[in-house]
Amino acid sequence: MNMSTPQLPVPLNEADAIAQKLLAVGDSLKPVDDAHYYFFEIVRELLDAAIKNFSELRRGNVTGNLNLIAWASRNLLELTVFTKYVLRSAANARRFADDRLVDGCELIIALRDLEHHYDLSAPTPGLDDALKRMEDQRVAESVTATKHLETSALAREVGMEQEFRSLNRVSSKLVHPQLGQLLQRTQAGAATLRQRTSSSQRE
C-alpha cells in the first residue's frame, strides 16, 4: 500500500467492520519470545487505544457531538501515525517505547513548574521523587533521547504529512467548545467532519 495516498471516507457500518477486524487482530496477537515482548505490548496498547477512541468517535457521530467527534478523530489520527511508525522497524518500536519515559519526565517537570508558578517556594517532594525514579529508569533502560517524539515528524516519516497536517488542524480547531457549538448549530461542520474522519483508522 502507498502510505502517501489519502484514505477515502467510508460509511459508518464499514468503519464498524474495520473496528471489529482490528479488535480480532489485537486478540490474536501473541509475543514471539521474551526478548520481543515489548513489541507485543506496544502494538497491543496501540490497538486497544484505537478501539476505545473509535467507540468515542462513533458515539459522537450517533449523538451529533461535534466536540467528541473532533477529539476522538484527532486521537485516532495520532494513533494511526504511531502504529505505522512502530511497525516500520524494531528500532522505531524501541524508540517509541523509550518515549514513555521521556514524555513522563517532561510531564512531571511541567507539573512542578505549574506548582512553582502559583507558589515559587512550594515544596514538591512527591513530584521530585517521581522525577528521580523516572530518570533512574531512563538510565536503567539506556534511554538517551532527551526530547519527546513529535507527531508531525513521525507523520512525515510514514508518508502522512499532508493528511496529518490537514486533519489535525481541523480537528484541533473543532475540539474547542466555543467553535464546536457555533458550527453545530448549522450542522454543516458536523456533517463534513463525520464524513472525513470516519476512516481515519482505516489502513
Side-chain angles (χ1 to χ4, degrees), residues 42-61:
I42 293 169
V43 175
R44 179 67 214 198
E45 288 297 324
L46 286 169
L47 291 178
D48 283 348
I51 292 297
K52 290 175 183 176
N53 279 279
F54 174 75
S55 296
E56 292 301 303
L57 178 64
R58 195 186 195 292
R59 184 162 67 90
N61 188 296

Side-chain angles (χ1 to χ4, degrees), residues 64-120:
N65 186 329
L66 183 58
N67 303 131
L68 182 56
I69 292 172
W71 173 77
S73 170
R74 187 171 62 180
N75 289 348
L76 283 168
L77 178 65
E78 292 189 347
L79 286 165
T80 301
V81 172
F82 295 156
T83 302
K84 288 186 174 184
Y85 174 77
V86 165
L87 293 178
R88 278 195 152 199
S89 69
N92 282 5
R94 176 60 71 182
R95 175 64 184 88
F96 187 79
D98 290 349
D99 212 46
R100 79 191 193 283
L101 297 173
V102 178
D103 224 13
C105 286
E106 290 180 353
L107 173 60
I108 295 170
I109 291 170
L111 289 170
R112 190 173 60 182
D113 288 347
L114 180 62
E115 287 283 344
H116 290 158
H117 170 72
Y118 290 108
D119 183 354
L120 191 59

Side-chain angles (χ1 to χ4, degrees), residues 118-174:
Y118 290 108
D119 183 354
L120 191 59
S121 61
T124 55
L127 292 172
D128 294 339
D129 179 63
L131 181 60
K132 183 181 184 307
R133 285 186 283 110
M134 192 158 291
E135 288 177 337
D136 288 345
Q137 189 63 31
R138 287 175 67 171
V139 173
E141 295 186 23
S142 302
V143 176
T144 58
T146 58
K147 188 177 185 301
H148 68 272
L149 292 168
E150 294 284 353
T151 309
S152 58
L154 301 187
R156 188 181 310 116
E157 183 173 334
V158 302
M160 290 182 60
E161 181 177 10
Q162 184 58 50
E163 185 176 7
F164 177 80
R165 183 188 298 119
S166 300
L167 274 174
N168 186 60
R169 184 179 182 185
V170 171
S171 58
S172 295
K173 291 289 186 184
L174 293 178

Side-chain angles (χ1 to χ4, degrees), residues 1 5-16 18 54 57 61 69 73 163 167 190-203:
M1 174 182 173
T5 303
Q7 297 300 298
L8 297 175
V10 298
L12 186 59
N13 63 324
E14 290 186 27
D16 286 337
I18 293 170
F54 174 75
L57 178 64
N61 188 296
I69 292 172
S73 170
E163 185 176 7
L167 274 174
T192 300
L193 187 62
R194 282 199 294 269
Q195 286 182 338
R196 291 298 177 189
T197 60
S198 62
S199 64
S200 62
Q201 190 62 18
R202 187 181 186 184
E203 287 290 332

